[in-house]
Amino acid sequence: VQLQASGGGLVQAGGSLRLSCAASGRTTSRHLIAWFRQAPGKEREFVATMRRSGGSTYVSDSMKGRFTISRDNTQNTVYLLMNNLKPEDTAIYYCAADSGTTIWSEATKSTRYNYWGQGTQVTVSS
């Protein structure tokens, strides 16, 4: 599985960005595609996840209401729409895919994801 993240950039506080994660390779509708982020000096943090089928989605409680995860109809691209961005959202955002066997209750754990994209930088200025 190969993942390509894009869409990061510099935005002012209160602005919006949409990140894209293009997935290719051997994946099924059961695979999870997730977004994590890592700010300088901090641990990697779960952001959002969904099944490629689109049947299940979850956004971290701390970002719910501002961030939305979705996919295109081909299931090959997963998006993270981020609204009302804050300076504390500044981080490198990574998309990741699991092996297709993760149960939903473990979907927020980074250790369940086997494949990682290269990351895209999001910088929010105050």
Side-chain angles (χ1 to χ4, degrees):
V1 176
Q2 293 80 43
L3 302 169
Q4 181 73 35
S6 62
L10 173 64
V11 64
Q12 288 187 331
S16 299
L17 279 176
R18 189 179 76 163
L19 306 184
S20 299
C21 177
S24 59
R26 298 182 63 181
T27 59
T28 70
S29 61
R30 281 196 52 80
H31 275 79
L32 295 175
I33 305 293
W35 290 95
F36 290 81
R37 69 184 185 185
Q38 188 164 20
K42 294 188 176 182
E43 293 186 354
R44 189 166 293 184
E45 178 184 21
F46 169 79
V47 176
T49 190
M50 71 181 303
R51 296 244 183 240
R52 283 195 70 205
S53 64
S56 300
T57 64
Y58 178 69
V59 176
S60 172
D61 290 344
S62 64
M63 301 163 213
K64 200 166 292 183
R66 297 192 301 124
F67 290 10
T68 304
I69 189 169
S70 63
R71 63 168 177 84
D72 69 355
N73 289 335
T74 68
Q75 302 183 22
N76 291 330
T77 302
V78 171
Y79 303 104
L80 182 69
L81 176 61
M82 305 183 294
N83 293 322
N84 190 22
L85 283 162
K86 304 175 181 180
E88 52 264 41
D89 294 318
T90 295
I92 299 175
Y93 284 71
Y94 299 90
C95 62
D98 79 328
S99 62
T101 62
T102 302
I103 59 175
W104 190 244
S105 62
E106 296 190 342
T108 64
K109 299 179 181 179
S110 63
T111 53
R112 296 300 303 170
Y113 293 86
N114 308 88
Y115 309 97
W116 293 81
Q118 84 287 3
T120 184
Q121 176 71 48
V122 172
T123 303
V124 184
S125 63
S126 57

